[in-house]
Amino acid sequence: MDIVSIRDLTVEFGSNEGAVRAVDGVSFSIPRNRTVALVGESGSGKSVISQAIMGLLPDIARIESGQILFDDPANSDPPVDIAALDRGGSAMRAIRGNRIAIIFQEPMTSLSPLHTVGEQIGEAVRLHRGVSPKDARTITREMLRLVHFPDPDRALDTYPFELSGGLRQRAVIAMALVCRPALLIADEPTTALDVTIQAEILKLIKDIQTELDMSVLMITHDFGVVANMADEIVVIYHGQIMESGSAEQLFNAPQHDYLKALLRAVPRFDMKADERLVPIRPIEAKPGGFLTKDTGERGAAGEPILELKDVTKLYHLRHGSFFAGAPRSVKAMDAVSFSVRRGECLGLVGESGSGKTTTAKAILRGIDIDDGSIRFDLGKGLEDVSALQGERLMEFRRRVQLIFQDPFSSLNPRMTVNALIREPLAIHNIGSHQERSERVRELMNLVGLDPRFLRRYPHSFSGGQRQRIGIARALALRPDFILCDEPVSALDVSVQAQILNLLKDLKRDLGLTYLFVSHNLAVVDYIADRIAVMCKGRLVELADKTNLIKDPQHPYTQALLDAVPDPSLDNLLDFETLSATKASDPAAWPAPYCLSPDTAPDLIEVKPGHFVCAPGLEAGAVKLEAVNA
């Protein structure tokens, strides 16, 4: 029995230049109690199909032809054609959020910041079931318990901003499932989550699907998620279905060239040392002009360009009072020590809250540290970053640049691309007007963008193109060191492959040094030379990427690796083991890795170049500080 049957669906968007066909003659079915994955790049029409099923298409969109037949197993009525219903009518409202529910990609935009979690989840029950506020609160509490909220009673009166990303996504799932729908549409539900949290959410969806006898339409571009979740797969490109079939058929014997290309673009742990990702639309770095010229004193490759020693950053959560007790504080960085060598890429990985972003901010001098030192080589040896002033500080700002996670929010929507890339040159008073224009055009060519696009605004570019604009802006001052803060986490696999290859080529051709912050170990394994792992503000492991991936020593590193979904049916996630492992709790780590709050997180060299935070090891082991000295 099929819950939903989509037949020859065509959706068009009206525009000043005529109609744009976003979905073109799409047909597929979603069987009862099965998971169908709808896979494709951004702009392929995935979300438009989900909006059509939910009756949430924008006003400028219209269903030109086709049917969306919904056969509700809760009643014996004939199937309803959702495509023919009034989007704002009572019939559609009775289905939307009740019998068909959706989980959106970004939980914070799905939740009202002005209402508690309990109020927002209970609203769906009151609207569709007509229960009293008291009963709605009871049902909401049970649903929060079902999605494994740690404290459902407290969560009822909690606001979304008080929750972590993983708990916010659980709240959205609870809101979608509170009416026990027949179909759940999961639109990129784990894209912005850490791999460990992602594994928890995927397990949660599978468990609830079994308990509620529910069908799932999983919209994603992550083939690791597809391999672990889908029974059937539908591959879509530019609004048309390229290939469909069972998960076994599409993973083991893909037929269409587009699907083969998508699979080749996914980073894997078993890649050879010289193997490259194969993006669908490759771009080629073209360095030249000012970028290849020597711009001042530079150190030799392999020498330390950045060094952190015992860096500590403390955040105070609230002030104490007579009733509240002593003020609480959290160590976002706890005696963090590592160095980055000139010409290498050091990957910094860990879950949200591990201290990665705080470390990045501290390096950029965006925040003040409480203890320790951060030193950077400006051409005359390592200098204390906190002591830099005047021209030396401006030199540091020129030498160190940042590539942001979200390319759209990091680009001023009111500035053209030309103005965005010229801005660093103007701030640092580099070159004449003509020289700046030449540099901007060189940078556009370097990142594979047509200089004719310089008059455009950021909104007219795709996500991958916007990220390339961000890279061009970061390179405008010819820096030595670039801090990459999750630069590909929000991108499709094919665009992700573009950006990763571009970054590797720029590092090789321009002699750049990267600190690559990410939560995806497969991505870091592809681009990094060494990897540092953080948890709860502490550095727990540091090693060459090959040694760390093939022989992880710390239980937290092992858990991170186990939680990375492999785009293969031969290596599926063990959800039960992952959920039982308290990977991010230092007190639960076995000896000799167990850490108490007052234990010094010293790194011990267990193998040449392989350091682990293991206080229980013998006192004669070599510490990282001694090796660096």
Side-chain angles (χ1 to χ4, degrees):
M1 174 183 174
D2 293 332
I3 294 291
V4 171
S5 298
I6 298 177
R7 300 176 181 174
D8 297 321
L9 180 66
T10 298
V11 180
E12 292 185 349
F13 284 73
S15 69
N16 295 331
E17 300 176 355
V20 176
R21 184 161 290 188
V23 177
D24 189 3
V26 165
S27 297
F28 68 91
S29 299
I30 305 172
R32 183 173 181 177
N33 199 23
R34 304 278 283 180
T35 298
V36 176
L38 187 58
V39 185
E41 299 172 280
S42 294
S44 62
K46 307 187 304 294
S47 294
V48 175
I49 292 173
S50 70
Q51 291 169 354
I53 296 174
M54 292 293 297
L56 292 174
L57 287 171
D59 293 337
I60 62 171
R62 70 177 186 276
I63 296 178
E64 186 67 19
S65 62
Q67 294 178 308
I68 304 173
L69 300 177
F70 174 54
D71 191 356
D72 192 344
N75 58 57
S76 57
D77 295 338
V80 177
D81 184 6
I82 293 176
L85 295 179
D86 178 7
R87 300 176 201 171
S90 58
M92 189 68 241
R93 290 200 305 270
I95 296 174
R96 185 193 302 124
N98 183 21
R99 304 307 300 149
I100 302 178
I102 188 168
I103 303 170
F104 293 101
Q105 178 175 352
E106 176 47 60
M108 200 58 185
T109 60
S110 307
L111 297 169
S112 167
L114 303 177
H115 299 86
T116 65
V117 169
E119 291 171 344
Q120 295 182 66
I121 298 174
E123 182 183 24
V125 187
R126 295 196 303 273
L127 285 175
H128 293 291
R129 300 295 170 87
V131 300
S132 66
K134 181 179 179 180
D135 290 338
R137 188 174 175 87
T138 301
I139 295 171
T140 299
R141 183 186 296 108
E142 291 303 314
M143 183 52 64
L144 288 172
R145 185 172 289 109
L146 183 64
V147 299
H148 305 309
F149 248 81
D151 190 347
D153 291 304
R154 181 183 176 188
L156 288 170
D157 300 314
T158 300
Y159 288 89
F161 67 84
E162 298 179 273
L163 302 175
S164 66
L167 287 180
R168 282 199 292 263
Q169 193 65 290
R170 287 173 188 267
V172 171
I173 293 173
M175 188 160 55
L177 299 178
V178 72
C179 292
R180 298 180 176 263
L183 172 65
L184 175 68
I185 300 174
D187 189 358
E188 303 275 12
T190 61
T191 295
L193 300 179
D194 304 324
V195 287
T196 49
I197 305 299
Q198 173 179 264
E200 290 180 10
I201 296 299
L202 295 180
K203 179 181 184 298
L204 179 61
I205 293 175
K206 288 179 75 76
D207 290 346
I208 294 177
Q209 179 181 17
T210 302
E211 181 169 337
L212 301 185
D213 195 24
M214 178 180 67
S215 300
V216 176
L217 176 62
M218 178 73 67
I219 297 174
T220 183
H221 60 254
D222 188 334
F223 277 93
V225 171
V226 173
N228 283 276
M229 296 294 291
D231 300 302
E232 299 178 16
I233 302 173
V234 178
V235 182
I236 187 170
Y237 175 70
H238 278 195
Q240 296 181 330
I241 292 179
M242 299 292 104
E243 189 170 354
S244 64
S246 68
E248 290 79 7
Q249 291 171 334
L250 270 67
F251 272 104
N252 297 330
Q255 300 297 313
H256 199 279
D257 291 340
Y258 177 67
L259 176 56
K260 294 177 183 178
L262 285 177
L263 291 170
R264 287 196 299 268
V266 181
R268 306 178 311 277
F269 286 123
D270 59 351
M271 296 180 70
K272 298 177 182 178
D274 58 346
E275 186 178 356
R276 283 171 66 92
L277 297 175
V278 185
I280 295 175
R281 291 165 290 275
I283 54 178
E284 182 181 354
K286 302 174 183 176
F290 81 97
L291 287 167
T292 56
K293 295 177 181 177
D294 186 47
T295 57
E297 299 179 45
R298 312 270 175 172
E303 294 181 352
I305 188 174
L306 173 72
E307 183 183 84
L308 281 73
K309 187 172 182 180
D310 295 328
V311 177
T312 299
K313 176 61 182 177
L314 204 66
Y315 284 112
H316 299 287
L317 301 182
R318 59 177 172 84
H319 292 288
S321 67
F322 181 79
F323 297 102
R328 295 188 298 131
S329 59
V330 170
K331 280 187 177 180
M333 297 178 69
D334 187 359
V336 173
S337 299
F338 65 85
S339 62
V340 184
R341 302 162 187 160
R342 189 177 292 273
E344 78 164 345
C345 175
L346 176 68
L348 185 62
V349 300
E351 297 173 292
S352 294
S354 62
K356 306 188 304 295
T357 299
T358 302
T359 302
K361 288 180 179 178
I363 292 170
L364 295 169
R365 224 174 93 160
I367 57 174
D368 295 326
I369 59 176
D370 296 312
D371 200 4
S373 65
I374 300 174
R375 300 193 297 163
F376 186 84
D377 183 10
L378 292 174
K380 298 180 180 179
L382 294 171
E383 300 180 46
D384 188 353
V385 171
S386 63
L388 297 176
Q389 294 181 348
E391 182 54 39
R392 296 303 284 171
L393 179 58
M394 289 297 286
E395 178 67 15
F396 173 74
R397 300 291 191 204
R398 283 192 290 269
R399 296 283 185 101
V400 180
Q401 291 293 302
L402 174 66
I403 300 174
F404 294 91
Q405 176 176 359
D406 183 355
F408 191 69
S409 63
S410 65
L411 300 175
N412 189 330
R414 297 179 179 177
M415 295 174 68
T416 64
V417 172
N418 182 54
L420 286 165
I421 300 177
R422 288 174 69 99
E423 187 178 33
L425 300 172
I427 291 173
H428 289 269
N429 196 27
I430 294 176
S432 64
H433 179 83
Q434 180 62 30
E435 289 172 338
R436 291 174 189 172
S437 298
E438 292 176 0
R439 289 192 176 203
V440 170
R441 295 180 69 84
E442 284 182 24
L443 289 164
M444 289 289 281
N445 283 319
L446 177 69
V447 297
L449 291 175
D450 195 324
R452 291 178 298 177
F453 296 164
L454 283 170
R455 294 180 180 271
R456 294 186 181 181
Y457 290 86
H459 71 267
S460 62
F461 293 89
S462 67
Q465 289 173 325
R466 284 196 290 264
Q467 193 61 289
R468 282 189 264 165
I469 293 169
I471 293 173
R473 185 175 60 175
L475 293 172
L477 298 174
R478 183 60 176 91
D480 287 347
F481 182 89
I482 297 182
L483 202 158
C484 307
D485 186 11
E486 302 270 15
V488 297
S489 64
L491 302 177
D492 299 329
V493 288
S494 57
V495 180
Q496 173 181 273
Q498 276 186 350
I499 300 301
L500 290 175
N501 284 347
L502 176 62
L503 290 173
K504 290 190 77 166
D505 293 342
L506 292 173
K507 173 176 171 288
R508 177 198 64 208
D509 297 337
L510 302 179
L512 297 172
T513 305
Y514 295 147
L515 178 63
F516 194 96
V517 178
S518 179
H519 62 255
N520 190 330
L521 268 167
V523 169
V524 172
D525 176 46
Y526 178 70
I527 194 170
D529 301 300
R530 292 188 300 147
I531 300 176
V533 183
M534 288 191 73
C535 179
K536 301 293 186 185
R538 302 176 175 103
L539 203 64
V540 297
E541 191 159 2
L542 173 65
D544 174 84
K545 69 172 182 181
T546 303
N547 293 330
L548 188 135
I549 297 299
K550 292 185 177 180
D551 187 24
Q553 299 290 311
H554 199 279
Y556 179 71
T557 308
Q558 295 170 6
L560 285 182
L561 285 167
D562 291 340
V564 177
D566 192 4
S568 168
L569 299 180
D570 300 327
N571 188 26
L572 299 179
L573 295 177
D574 185 349
F575 288 114
E576 296 301 328
T577 301
L578 289 172
S579 63
T581 303
K582 296 181 179 179
S584 57
D585 182 5
W589 294 335
Y593 308 102
C594 181
L595 275 176
S596 62
D598 55 348
T599 303
D602 294 327
L603 289 177
I604 308 298
E605 187 174 32
V606 293
K607 295 180 180 180
H610 196 145
F611 300 88
V612 182
C613 182
L617 287 179
E618 61 273 12
V622 181
K623 295 186 179 181
L624 175 62
E625 289 80 358
V627 174
N628 286 339

